[in-house]
Amino acid sequence: QVASELNRQGINVKLLIFGRPWKNTMARYAECTFAEFIGPVANEELPFYYRSASVYVLNDLISAGCPNSVIEALACGCPVVGYSPGVLEEMLNPEAGICVPVAGDPWKGELPGNVGALADAALHIVENNEMYREGARKLAEERYGLDHMVDQYMKILFE
């Protein structure tokens, strides 16, 4: 939806979809000339895609406790946009990405909505990409780096 909204605004967007398509995903995107299904990608190839992207959009609200894809994107210097409330607002800081409030209730099967705000957030990141890319990489190093994780485990286990 974000890519559709940005394309409607005249902004050329390419949406890359990775992994095995879920249920009717391919049919839903069949008319979207800007969407490309990449399929499964080997882990060692993912940094190429993250580093090539201007922004990573996480539209999943309820299924992932700590989505590795967000950490992978940040580690490659790719800023993130998505919804709050949810885990994403705990994972990001304002220098690494933007969270926008949901309009629908996903627990009732409603779409999160607020696509305009999500598109605006993505556009803001694209317009200030270098600053957000630096913030994303810095956040990944400080919060999600191996040294930090080991320190946190040691703190939990031995204090």
Side-chain angles (χ1 to χ4, degrees), residues 25-117:
T25 303
M26 288 184 81
R28 286 180 32 217
Y29 286 99
E31 296 178 15
C32 300
T33 57
F34 56 85
E36 182 180 342
F37 285 89
I38 304 296
V41 174
N43 286 340
E44 59 270 8
E45 295 176 24
L46 287 173
F48 167 79
Y49 291 102
Y50 286 125
R51 289 182 186 125
S52 300
S54 298
V55 63
Y56 177 80
V57 179
L58 180 71
N59 60 359
D60 188 0
L61 289 170
I62 56 177
S63 68
C66 180
N68 286 340
S69 61
V70 171
I71 296 171
E72 292 166 356
L74 294 170
C76 292
C78 184
V80 178
V81 297
Y83 289 105
S84 64
V87 70
L88 191 59
E89 65 186 340
E90 296 174 27
M91 295 180 73
L92 294 178
N93 64 25
E95 292 78 31
I98 301 173
C99 293
V100 301
V102 296
D105 186 345
W107 297 105
K108 294 180 180 176
E110 298 171 2
L111 293 174
N114 210 3
V115 176

Side-chain angles (χ1 to χ4, degrees), residues 139-152:
L139 177 64
E141 290 172 354
E142 291 175 355
R143 191 182 297 172
Y144 302 111
L146 184 59
D147 291 339
H148 178 74
M149 288 179 14
V150 169
D151 289 344
Q152 293 302 308

Side-chain angles (χ1 to χ4, degrees), residues 126-144:
V126 169
E127 290 170 345
N128 300 281
N129 207 243
E130 192 58 38
M131 179 187 74
Y132 278 100
R133 293 184 88 72
E134 290 173 11
R137 181 64 187 163
K138 182 178 178 187
L139 177 64
E141 290 172 354
E142 291 175 355
R143 191 182 297 172
Y144 302 111

